[in-house]
Amino acid sequence: MLEFSSPTSRTARTAEGRGNMSRGGSFDSSHLPSICPPEFSKPPHKRPPRRRKAPKKSPVKKYEPVNVHHGVAEAGPSNSDTYGPVSPRNEPSLPSSVESPAEENLLEPDNRVCESKNEVGDGSGCGVVIDVMTVLEELQLGAEEPELSSDQFRINDQLQEDELLAMESIYGENVIILDRQRGLRSFEIRIEPKIPDELTITTKLPSSNSKMQTTSITSTADEFSYSFRVQFVPPIVLTCSFPKSYPSHKPPHFTISVQWLDSLRISSLCSVLDSIWMEQQGQEVMYQWIDWLQSFSLPHLGIHQEIILGPYGVKHTGDRRAVSESVSPDVDIPSLRRYNDEQTLENFRNNLHECCICFSEYPGSDFFRLPCQHFFCRNCIKTYSDLHVSEGTVNKLLCPQSKCGGMVPPGLLKQLLGDEKYERYESLLLQKTLECMSDAVYCPRCEFVCIEDDDNFAQCSKCFFNFCSLCKNARHVGEPCLTPELKLQLLEMRLKSSQISSTQRLAEQNKINELLSEKEIARDAKLCPHCKMAISKTEGCNKMVCGSCGNYFCYLCNKAITGYEHFRDGACELFSQEAIQQWEAQMNMRQTVGRVRAELNLGEAHSCPNCGQRNAKTDNNNHIFCWACQKHYCYLCRKVVKRSSEHYGPKKCKQHTAG
């Protein structure tokens, strides 16, 4: 069943942006060669019945405005904004909201017809409203129809019907059939112009104190420029009605409506359509008009990389068929950005993409895009989130892309984890945050969070226990803290007493076990200088990273560090001599094994692309390690590989093959 939206509002229609001829279109016209110009073939007269829909009022949509603060304009999240020079004296005043009526569909069992009452601005920003259908009606009244014979009238009527059917077949939902005007066929078509990969849209934003002239706007110190990049722009809307003498004598009546062009530039497009008719007078020209507007309208206007909006405040001049939907920067900028965002999202959802974690291809609807613009498939990002929550490393639950570190929105995490795991995530995140605070401690009695003072004492606000934050005992002003050994002796003596209850005895035994565990851990571990987590080194260098808070510290001196500069002054060494000797022994053994394998499989051995030494592939792994120069390379393409994740993949070399 076909559905067609009523063009009752240009702003709502362009924001919805349904249909796309140049990008992401689903209709393939390659199998319809007979429909293309210059001759339109006649389809069968017996056609299936078509549906129609009429516009219906619906609630008003409110859109967010463009916010300007201290010379920086913001219109929603974007990573491609650039800002021109700004005067620090004045800031522009923008409206709080932009309203645009939405549309609903109503199907009726008859020929598809849509009413059209399109009232748009004239591009002057002066509040003048232009009714597109009124302009068409004036064009119809002002045109003189020649006398036609009944045969010629019947031929024209059939050619018009055939041309409309051909356009509907080629352009699909971009063609909207309107109510007949004075008995004449009327329709509109939305034309997506072919643009480069990216266009820059620039406009001048005057300050609230500067007065807008009625004839022109000059560049002054009270203005600043705002620019942003887009991949999609709202379509060019061509609204036409066929006179009875078309195509034998007269051309179609038409108007051209564009949101991002002023009336003078649109008038230039109207002149080109007139010239195309003069060259092909007496023939159907709608396809030629549409094709030219789609392919050549931007080069004709000199638009290659940038569209400059405006000028605003200029009275409507030029061809009356040229209708500019440009209103003001306050309305145009949010509308253009919103349309680009919606079309970009729709284009992403309709195409296949490769997940950079599992290297599998899925449609865009199966991906989650993070605020940093990196995207991952549903299964991978869910597994990644579940793993960090299960292991308690919620502080590392960031964008999986290497060297990104962007945040994962809480709303997305709640959707991925579910209620139970999300509660655990919030609890762990609060705990990790408190552990990273230098003055936050836990009450030894009720485990409530407390704030310690400068003397390392704290009072619990829940149970009102005063304690020392160092030894976790009762407050002892002027007395040193008990050492772990002395504390252990006191607990053992208290445990031997016969006057304590069984419950207290169990609590004392747990304290003793905890002290013994801390003593054993301290023998072969270091405490993180940030969160006091005990960390033991098993191998590798002395630059340690805490698994709890993610901060770095030196394992030798236990100082907090950021990079490797700490080891360059000679105070601490990065590797111990024992670790270096052990590593060299392992590498020598690896070299020996590699050389022996190459000698045993001399017939199947191949040369390293870096040093030329012979190496052998002994299993199905194509990631070869040269025993001589210590370089990795690919067995299939014989190229040196720096990162296996970047070289191997579904569309790249396969890491595992037989032979």
Side-chain angles (χ1 to χ4, degrees), residues 630-641:
Q630 314 295 314
K631 295 288 186 180
H632 295 266
Y633 65 93
C634 177
Y635 175 79
L636 298 178
C637 64
R638 298 294 196 275
K639 292 183 179 180
V640 176
V641 177

Side-chain angles (χ1 to χ4, degrees), residues 469-630:
S469 61
L470 299 178
C471 63
K472 300 298 186 294
N473 288 326
R475 186 184 182 103
H476 49 84
V477 180
E479 297 180 3
C481 295
L482 295 177
T483 61
E485 292 79 9
L486 184 57
K487 188 186 298 184
L488 185 61
Q489 292 178 6
L490 292 175
L491 289 174
E492 289 175 348
M493 290 175 59
R494 192 182 304 171
L495 189 64
K496 295 177 181 179
S497 175
S498 59
Q499 298 180 355
I500 62 175
S501 62
S502 59
T503 304
Q504 189 175 0
R505 185 182 298 275
L506 181 60
E508 298 294 338
Q509 184 63 52
N510 290 336
K511 291 181 180 180
I512 292 175
N513 294 337
E514 186 176 350
L515 285 174
L516 291 175
S517 299
E518 292 178 356
K519 184 178 179 180
E520 191 65 26
I521 291 174
R523 183 181 304 174
D524 191 34
K526 296 290 180 69
L527 298 180
C528 171
H530 296 275
C531 65
K532 308 303 179 185
M533 174 66 71
I535 298 174
S536 179
K537 172 189 163 186
T538 56
E539 62 181 358
C541 67
N542 291 317
K543 181 188 176 185
M544 306 294 292
V545 57
C546 177
S548 176
C549 64
N551 290 300
Y552 296 95
F553 68 95
C554 175
Y555 192 75
L556 296 179
C557 63
N558 210 45
K559 290 183 178 179
I561 60 175
T562 55
Y564 290 95
E565 292 80 6
H566 174 75
F567 302 98
R568 293 175 182 172
D569 56 5
C572 298
E573 56 185 8
L574 184 60
F575 287 94
S576 63
Q577 292 299 321
E578 182 182 356
I580 294 175
Q581 293 173 3
Q582 184 180 3
W583 180 79
E584 289 179 346
Q586 292 176 352
M587 293 305 297
N588 291 335
M589 180 62 67
R590 193 173 183 181
Q591 288 180 338
T592 303
V593 171
R595 184 171 65 252
V596 171
R597 285 180 176 177
E599 292 175 354
L600 292 176
N601 301 275
L602 191 60
E604 300 178 358
H606 52 274
S607 300
C608 170
N610 184 60
C611 66
Q613 190 58 257
R614 305 287 289 179
N615 292 271
K617 177 186 175 184
T618 57
D619 52 18
N620 63 349
N621 191 359
N622 294 319
H623 191 64
I624 308 298
F625 176 76
C626 179
W627 61 269
C629 65
Q630 314 295 314

Side-chain angles (χ1 to χ4, degrees), residues 15-30:
E16 291 175 358
R18 295 184 352 184
N20 190 332
M21 294 188 300
S22 62
R23 295 176 180 266
S26 60
F27 183 82
D28 182 11
S29 61
S30 60

Side-chain angles (χ1 to χ4, degrees), residues 348 353-355 362-369 375-378:
F348 178 83
H353 305 276
E354 182 183 85
C355 175
Y362 301 100
S365 56
D366 290 341
F367 281 82
F368 285 106
R369 186 190 292 272
F375 52 88
F376 309 92
C377 73
R378 185 185 304 271

